[in-house]
Amino acid sequence: MLRKVIDLLKAPEQDSQPALTIELATAALLSEIIRADRHADERELKAYRAMLDARFSLTDEQVEALMEDGRETAEEAVDMVQFTKVLNERCDNEEKRAILKSLWEVAYADKEIAPIEEHTIRRIADLLHMPHSQ
């Protein structure tokens, strides 16, 4: 009987957090950069779309859905560890370096990198166990 109660309490917790994919984790991190300076510039949004389009083999509709899911996931997140954990588990250093490059490209799409954007990217790099020199 105690086992049933424990299982009942665990079930909603497991269902409430769907597994993150590499695509969604990447989209959420890119969305974090756009949100960092509290100003979503049109050039940053275009770069965001272009990065997802180039990185993943998706249709236009799927890219749009991924952008929206990434934005919502980033807004609901408490921190970025959940995203970087997925990337650390499933990506090699080259893939993580490519994601970091994408973050810098999105941040610089408006021809200006705000200090908070730089700080956020450096925090993500630390969470991805990537040295700043890379």
Side-chain angles (χ1 to χ4, degrees):
M1 175 120 136
L2 183 59
R3 174 65 58 199
K4 287 182 182 180
V5 172
I6 292 172
D7 290 343
L8 182 62
L9 293 174
K10 286 184 179 179
E13 182 181 313
Q14 292 170 349
D15 292 339
S16 68
Q17 290 188 336
L20 288 172
T21 62
I22 292 172
E23 294 84 0
L24 184 54
T26 302
L29 290 175
L30 288 165
S31 184
E32 282 290 338
I33 299 306
I34 292 171
R35 293 172 359 106
D37 64 357
R38 303 204 187 274
H39 175 69
D41 186 277
E42 187 63 35
R43 295 168 291 186
E44 289 176 332
L45 294 172
K46 280 184 178 180
Y48 177 33
R49 184 181 217 309
M51 293 301 127
L52 293 177
D53 196 31
R55 182 123 181 92
F56 306 113
S57 299
L58 303 171
T59 65
D60 288 342
E61 294 81 21
Q62 290 171 325
V63 170
E64 289 295 326
L66 182 57
M67 287 176 68
E68 182 62 25
D69 289 346
R71 184 189 61 76
E72 289 174 3
T73 302
E75 286 177 358
E76 294 170 2
V78 175
D79 60 26
M80 295 178 286
V81 173
Q82 61 187 316
F83 310 128
T84 57
K85 180 180 178 188
V86 169
L87 299 177
N88 282 327
E89 290 172 354
R90 301 183 191 162
C91 297
D92 61 20
N93 278 349
E94 284 302 314
E95 291 171 312
K96 292 191 291 187
R97 188 176 304 147
I99 291 168
L100 280 173
K101 182 180 178 198
S102 296
L103 294 173
W104 283 110
E105 289 175 5
V106 167
Y108 194 64
D110 61 356
K111 304 297 184 220
E112 182 180 339
I113 295 182
I116 190 67
E117 290 173 324
E118 180 177 355
H119 174 76
T120 303
I121 293 172
R122 291 191 184 279
R123 263 194 7 225
I124 292 168
D126 286 341
L127 292 170
L128 290 174
H129 313 294
M130 300 293 291
H132 293 290
S133 62
Q134 293 185 358

